[in-house]
Amino acid sequence: SRDRNPVCLSALTVSCPADPVASPGRTCLLILHLLNPSGHHDILLVVVSYTCSQPSHAAAICSSTRYKFHRKDHLSPREEPWPGVTILKPLIGGDSLLATNLESFFTMNYPLYEIMFCIQNANDPVIPLVNELVAKYPTIDTKVFIGGKKVGTNPKINNLQPGYEAAKYDLIVVSDSCIRMKEDTLMDMVHNMTARVGLVHQMPFTCDRPGFVSVLEKVYFGTAHARIYMCASLLGINCATGMSALMRKGPLDEAGGLRAFGCYLAEDYFFAQTFLNRGYQLAVASTPACQSADTGDVIGFQKRLIRWAKLRIAMVPFTILMEPVTECLLLGALGALAARCLLQVDLIVFYLLHVLFWFLLDWLMLSVVQNTSLPFNKFEFVVAWLLREAYAPILFLRAIWDPVIRWRHGVFKLRWGGVAEEVPAPVPPADDAVKVKL
Ligand SMILES: CCCCCCCC/C=C\CCCCCCCC(=O)N[C@@H](CO)[C@H](O)/C=C/CCCCCCCCCCCCC
Ligand SMILES: O=c1ccn([C@@H]2O[C@H](COP(=O)(O)OP(=O)(O)O[C@H]3OC[C@@H](O)[C@H](O)[C@H]3O)[C@@H](O)[C@H]2O)c(=O)[nH]1
C-alpha cells in the first residue's frame, strides 16, 4: 500500500470528487476511481502509460514484418501503365555523398519520370555536379531551377516552388538531398499509391556507412524512431516525415499548391494532414528511406533531432507529455515505482528486466528494418543504444528550453500550431547544416 511504500508518487495523487458530473476532468477522475477504488490514481496513470507504451514494440514489429517492409509486390506484372512522376529535389550545399545520392535518381528502374533540381543559391557548389549528371544521362528528363521563389517562410518550399509550378505529372515526389534510391524504390512507392491513398512516405532509415555517427543514426532510426513511426502509421496517426514522400498533385493544388504550406517549417506534417482531411489515407512504402548524408559529428545529429522535437512540440503540444513516457529509461523508472507500490516488486530488479526486455525488442526492431546483416557489431550496438537512450530526455528538454530553430541559413520561431516566423538575425553559422565540401 502507499503507506507502507514511501516511494509512491504521492505528489501526483488526486482525490476523487464528490460530484463527478460537473466537468470532463471530474468525470475522468470518477472513471479512474471506478477503475481503481483504492484511490491511487497516480499509480493507475503510470500503469496505464506503461501498458500503452510497452506493447508499442510488438505493434511496430508486427506491422513492419507482417505487411510492410521489404515486400516486392511491385515487381509482379501490372496491367495498367506506370503513371508519370515529377521528382522535386531541393538542394542547398552539398557533401561528399551527394553525388552518389543524386546519381541514384538517374539509374532507377521506372519508365516515366522527370527530375526537377531546385538549387537555392546561384553560387552553390552543387551546380556543376548537377550539370555533370544531367550531361551524363541525356535520356533522363531533367530541369534545373536556381534561386527559388519566395512564397512563404519555409526555405525548402521557396526553393521547390519553381519546380512545382513546372511539374508535368499528377504524382510528385519531394525527395531531400540526403536520399539515395534503389533501382526499384520509386516503383515500390507508386505501387503503394492505391486509389484510397493520397501520400506514400518512406520511413526514415539510413544507408550503411562507416563511422560511429552512422551507427548512432541507424540505431536511432531503426529502434525508437521506427517503433513510434510504425505504431503511429498502424493507428492512422499522422507522423509522415517529408524527406521522401510521393503525393497526388490534385489535392495539393486544391489546397492552394505548395505555396499554401510555405508558412510552416514542418511542411511534411501539414502535407499529410491535408490528405487526411480530404479523406485519403497515408501509406508507408515497403522500402525504408536510405538517408546518406555526411552529418559530421554526434552533435550535428543531435541538433537535427532537437530541431525536429521543436517542430513536434509546436505542432502537437500533447507530445510534451506523451513523448517522455515512450522512452525506455523514464518509462522503466515509472513502471518500477508502480510495480513496487502495487506488487511490492523490487525496484532494481523490475527496472533492469524492463531495460533488458526493451533492449532486446529494439534489437529485433532494428533487424527487421535493416533486413540484412548490420554493418556494426553487438558491442557498438550496445554503446550506441545506451547513448541514445541516455541523451533522448536531454535533447527533449533542450528543445523545450530553447524554441528558436536554426535551419541551414535561417533562424525561425514557431507559434503554437506550427506557423513559422523568420527571426531577423545576422546570418549565423548553420549549426545543423552539412558542412563537408564536395
Ligand atoms: C494524438 C497525439 C498523440 C501524441 C503522442 C506523442 C508520442 C510521441 C512520441 C515520440 C515522437 C517521435 C515521433 C517520430 C516521428 C517524427 C519525426 C519528426 O519529428 N519529423 C518532423 C520533421 O520531418 C515532422 O515534421 C513531424 C511529423 C509528425 C510529428 C507527430 C508525431 C506524433 C506521433 C504519435 C505517435 C503515437 C504512437 C504512440 C505509441 C506509444
Ligand atoms: O534552406 C533550406 C533548407 C533545406 N533545404 C532542403 O530541404 C531538404 C531537407 O533539409 P535538411 O536535410 O537540412 O533537413 P532535415 O533532413 O532535417 O529535413 C526534415 O525536417 C524539416 C522538414 O521540413 C523536412 O521535410 C524534413 O525532411 C534538403 O534537401 C535541403 O537541401 C533547402 O532547400 N533550403
Side-chain angles (χ1 to χ4, degrees):
S1 80
R2 180 184 307 275
D3 298 332
R4 276 183 276 126
N5 292 290
V7 289
C8 287
L9 310 178
S10 50
L12 294 175
T13 306
V14 283
S15 58
C16 198
D19 170 15
V21 288
S23 70
R26 298 182 104 200
T27 311
C28 288
L29 290 178
L30 176 69
I31 295 169
L32 284 177
H33 183 70
L34 292 175
L35 287 170
N36 182 17
S38 63
H40 295 159
H41 310 307
D42 46 3
I43 304 299
L44 190 67
L45 283 170
V46 168
V47 172
V48 169
S49 308
Y50 193 80
T51 45
C52 286
S53 293
Q54 191 48 285
S56 60
H57 271 110
I61 292 169
C62 287
S63 81
S64 307
T65 46
R66 284 203 49 214
Y67 78 98
K68 207 17 92 190
F69 291 140
H70 311 296
R71 292 179 63 148
K72 294 283 174 195
D73 308 0
H74 55 282
L75 296 177
S76 46
R78 175 183 165 104
E79 276 169 21
E80 67 272 33
W82 291 96
V85 179
T86 297
I87 298 170
L88 300 176
K89 178 62 75 182
L91 296 173
I92 177 171
D95 64 26
S96 57
L97 301 167
L98 184 65
T100 324
N101 293 349
L102 294 185
E103 189 157 12
S104 70
F105 285 80
F106 289 84
T107 54
M108 292 187 301
N109 177 18
Y110 195 82
L112 190 61
Y113 65 98
E114 58 174 352
I115 314 176
M116 318 297 247
F117 291 103
C118 303
I119 303 170
Q120 189 155 314
N121 302 311
N123 56 355
D124 200 305
V126 301
I127 295 176
L129 168 65
V130 169
N131 289 338
E132 223 172 87
L133 288 168
V134 168
K136 186 173 172 189
Y137 296 94
T139 57
I140 303 292
D141 187 1
T142 55
K143 287 195 186 71
V144 179
F145 302 86
I146 296 174
K149 186 171 178 182
K150 177 91 175 154
V151 290
T153 313
N154 185 325
K156 176 176 164 184
I157 293 285
N158 293 341
N159 193 10
L160 289 178
Q161 181 65 24
Y164 182 82
E165 284 174 10
K168 64 180 176 205
Y169 297 119
D170 292 336
L171 292 180
I172 61 163
V173 168
V174 174
S175 172
D176 287 357
S177 51
C178 63
I179 296 296
R180 186 176 299 175
M181 299 295 256
K182 293 186 184 147
E183 268 187 12
D184 63 345
T185 306
L186 185 56
M187 241 177 207
D188 166 45
M189 293 175 84
V190 174
H191 178 78
N192 277 284
M193 181 63 88
T194 56
R196 285 182 298 172
V197 171
L199 182 150
V200 178
H201 50 120
Q202 284 193 280
M203 189 191 81
F205 195 48
T206 61
C207 299
D208 294 353
R209 283 184 290 110
F212 184 69
V213 186
S214 68
V215 177
L216 206 53
E217 285 178 339
K218 197 176 275 292
V219 168
Y220 170 67
F221 283 110
T223 62
H225 188 278
R227 179 171 57 83
I228 295 295
Y229 210 83
M230 293 315 289
C231 258
S233 77
L234 192 70
L235 298 173
I237 297 175
N238 176 9
C239 68
T241 293
M243 62 180 66
S244 179
L246 170 74
M247 293 176 275
R248 292 183 188 278
K249 188 159 178 286
L252 277 188
D253 284 339
E254 275 170 31
L258 219 53
R259 63 172 68 231
F261 300 88
C263 57
Y264 307 113
L265 275 196
E267 78 296 330
D268 46 3
Y269 178 80
F270 293 97
F271 283 152
Q273 206 53 48
T274 295
F275 287 101
L276 289 175
N277 293 346
R278 285 176 159 65
Y280 286 101
Q281 293 174 359
L282 312 178
V284 180
S286 318
T287 319
C290 177
Q291 296 178 77
S292 173
D294 202 337
T295 17
D297 51 13
V298 175
I299 303 293
F301 174 54
Q302 291 182 334
K303 284 184 171 165
R304 188 178 184 216
L305 298 188
I306 294 175
R307 173 162 53 82
W308 286 7
K310 290 176 184 179
L311 298 178
R312 292 196 298 273
I313 289 167
M315 291 183 307
V316 195
F318 196 43
T319 200
I320 298 180
L321 293 176
M322 295 303 294
E323 203 159 321
V325 292
T326 65
E327 288 292 340
C328 171
L329 300 186
L330 182 61
L331 184 66
L334 294 175
L337 285 170
R340 169 101 164 91
C341 290
L342 295 177
L343 309 166
Q344 282 76 54
V345 174
D346 186 88
L347 271 176
I348 306 290
V349 171
F350 184 98
Y351 193 68
L352 291 180
L353 283 177
H354 161 90
V355 173
L356 179 66
F357 189 53
W358 196 281
F359 170 83
L360 293 174
L361 288 172
D362 268 351
W363 173 262
L364 187 59
M365 182 85 234
L366 176 62
S367 308
V368 167
V369 179
Q370 171 80 4
N371 203 36
T372 56
S373 58
L374 286 159
F376 44 77
N377 59 39
K378 293 194 174 61
F379 177 72
E380 286 172 298
F381 174 72
V382 173
V383 174
W385 187 86
L386 285 173
L387 196 60
R388 210 278 336 152
E389 294 302 328
Y391 72 55
I394 300 168
L395 300 190
F396 196 68
L397 287 176
R398 284 182 58 189
I400 296 175
W401 185 254
D402 172 22
V404 172
I405 294 179
R406 290 170 189 84
W407 187 24
R408 302 291 180 124
H409 302 312
V411 186
F412 309 89
K413 260 189 168 167
L414 294 188
R415 288 197 230 133
W416 290 115
V419 171
E421 287 165 12
E422 197 151 5
V423 176
V427 177
D431 64 3
D432 62 348
V434 173
K435 293 195 186 78
V436 182
K437 292 220 164 53
L438 281 169

